[in-house]
Amino acid sequence: MEEKSTIIIGAGIAGLSAGCYGQMNDYHTLIFEMHNELGGCCTSWKRAGYTIDGCFHYLTGSGPGQVFYPIWEELGALQGRTIVDPEEYARIEGKDGKAFIVYADIDRLEQHMKDLAPEDNEVIEAFINGIRIMMNFPMPVEKPQELYSPIDGLKMGLRMLPFLGFYRKFGNVTIQDYAHRFKNPFLRQAFLHIVNLQNRPDFPLLGQLQVLAWMHQKSAGYPVGGSLAFAHALGRRYLDLGGKIHYEARVAKILVENDRAVGVRLADGCELRSDTVIYTGDGHHVIFDMLGGKYINGRIQGYYERLPITPPIIHIGLGVARSFEGIPYSATGTDFPLEEPITVGDHKHERLCVRIYNFDPTLAPAGKTMLKVYFATDYAYWKKVKQDPERYEMEKEQIADQVVAALDRRYPGLAAQVEMRDVATPVTFEHYTGNWQGSFMGWQTSTKTLIMRMSKTLPGLKNFYLAGKWVEPGGGVPTAAMSGRNVTQIICQQDNRPFITTFLASSQQLTSTNNTFGV
Ligand SMILES: Cc1cc2nc3c(=O)[nH]c(=O)nc-3n(C[C@H](O)[C@H](O)[C@H](O)COP(=O)(O)OP(=O)(O)OC[C@H]3O[C@@H](n4cnc5c(N)ncnc54)[C@H](O)[C@@H]3O)c2cc1C
């Protein structure tokens, strides 16, 4: 087979995945990562004896039977890893202490919702039924739509057929729309907060039903050790497959000759050539800056002008000398109303959602716990404040003060137990990952983007591919991995090679197989 080389930009999940699948298919791959660490947004960092986890609420495909599970096996991400499945997806409290507990077990959830709001039996049953239906929804992850033959299209159409009516009924329904269907005032209000990120009542109901279906099926658990340990497993797999990563190597330019990508120029001026270039960093930067907006069409222009991005966040990590025993593991945390609003930038937040990592002992010394709180916030605000370093630090401290005071009211005595505080803003996320406006999930999930497919190539530019969250609306770790896999499938097809995958059996023995999927 002809030897071919691939340069991959970025050692986040999409880049590592593209690297692993490239190596499995006999491409010589090389990853350039601008940071001194891999993982991108799938990361954790250490402070004063604590590990602050910067990513996972849950990992889709953490359990067998879910479509992403074989991908994690191929990438060596789950072998030997402990997964904890949440008892609750979320806990949403009202002013009087009443709680809407979104249990992961849907029979328990149904009973709990009916106890809270017997007058809403019908709406509750329709909601629970929706979760049941989504348990069998055939997510098309096995190969990119670009490679669908007419037969593949037909097969997929047939698999989707039973869901058509359901999709017609709920495809355009948002969380806000559905919340209004409840008569019970508490449930109507609480349901709005089922999606963790504040200011997202327009989140599509179908997306939420899907997540709850995975939770019930125990295929959206948390990998103990946290996000960076998870990313390291992919990194190890990549290196074992013969790949190479160059750290602190920022790619400044895509080299193009006759409308073909032929390599990259690094920030230090060094140039390297390859047959193919895969870019997994920020989409806006590569399209408009690195390639000067030359390879674009109206559709791509429209995304960047009109599609909302997942709001950037301010992320507060706390190390607390307390064990929080008896508090069940909630995937997104406990969301409660504040006696005094917390001011973040120009916005006052009336509620706070805290995630208590008592389910991962690796993140804190014995008997202590890592806590995390975050708020959606405005990138432009933080970009401006950052110009005045003293004010930037002061505002971060003020936010941490407000969060600690609010948590102390909810968990008395907590303020005196705080040993470590760490605040990251959208500018921090932008600095470490290069993502547009510090967004960590790319395009926002909405009723429009839920089934949207974006091209992984740019019009008029050959041998150049995009992978990662800027071409996979909704973002997230599994779609980033799928994206790296899909791009390799496209390249293999281009080069007339069969797409081969290998996986690590639990015995760590390398097993070879053809594409594990069957479309
Ligand atoms: C607080 C938080 C919570 C989250 N919760 C979840 C969750 O529960 N479940 C889930 O699935 N996902 C979650 N995510 C999202 C998930 O982490 C991301 O969507 C995913 O990791 C994105 O991967 P990626 O490879 O597409 O991009 P990135 O992680 O952004 O990787 C891009 C990489 O490219 C590098 N790079 C960029 N430009 C260059 C350049 N010019 N030269 C060299 N290198 C470059 C960057 O440094 C980075 O390492 C969360 C993220 C955050 C921050």
Side-chain angles (χ1 to χ4, degrees), residues 10 13-14 33-34 41 54-55 57-58 251 435 440-441 469 476-478:
I13 299 300
E33 167 55 52
M34 66 179 186
C41 296
C55 172
H57 297 93
Y58 55 87
V251 171
N435 280 302
F440 57 95
M441 298 276 266
K469 62 189 168 314
V477 169

Side-chain angles (χ1 to χ4, degrees), residues 9-15 32-35 37-43 53-60 249-252 279-282 285 290 313 315 372 374 429 432-435 439-442 467-470 474-478 480:
I9 302 162
I13 299 300
F32 289 111
E33 167 55 52
M34 66 179 186
H35 193 22
E37 179 57 281
L38 53 71
C41 296
C42 185
T43 193
D53 195 78
C55 172
F56 282 131
H57 297 93
Y58 55 87
L59 171 72
T60 304
R250 188 170 68 80
V251 171
Y279 179 87
T280 69
D282 173 48
H285 183 56
M290 289 167 108
I313 54 171
H315 180 288
K372 170 158 120 176
Y374 63 67
F429 282 96
Y432 282 109
T433 68
N435 280 302
S439 179
F440 57 95
M441 298 276 266
K469 62 189 168 314
W470 295 102
V477 169

Side-chain angles (χ1 to χ4, degrees), residues 244-263:
K244 290 190 179 67
I245 308 177
H246 283 261
Y247 291 102
E248 297 180 330
R250 188 170 68 80
V251 171
K253 194 172 168 40
I254 310 294
L255 300 177
V256 177
E257 289 172 5
N258 302 321
D259 296 326
R260 276 173 193 277
V262 293

Side-chain angles (χ1 to χ4, degrees), residues 254 259 279 283 286-288 291 293-297 300 304 455-466 471:
I254 310 294
D259 296 326
Y279 179 87
V286 73
I287 293 170
F288 295 97
L291 292 167
K294 190 175 169 201
Y295 302 101
I296 194 163
N297 55 23
I300 298 172
Y304 286 90
S455 172
K456 294 176 183 62
T457 55
L458 293 177
L461 182 59
K462 293 204 172 77
N463 301 346
F464 181 78
Y465 299 88
L466 296 161
V471 286

Side-chain angles (χ1 to χ4, degrees), residues 483-500:
S483 196
R485 190 180 194 273
N486 284 176
V487 153
T488 311
Q489 288 170 295
I490 294 171
I491 295 171
C492 283
Q493 166 108 343
Q494 201 88 23
D495 292 338
N496 280 323
R497 295 183 182 193
F499 176 67
I500 301 291

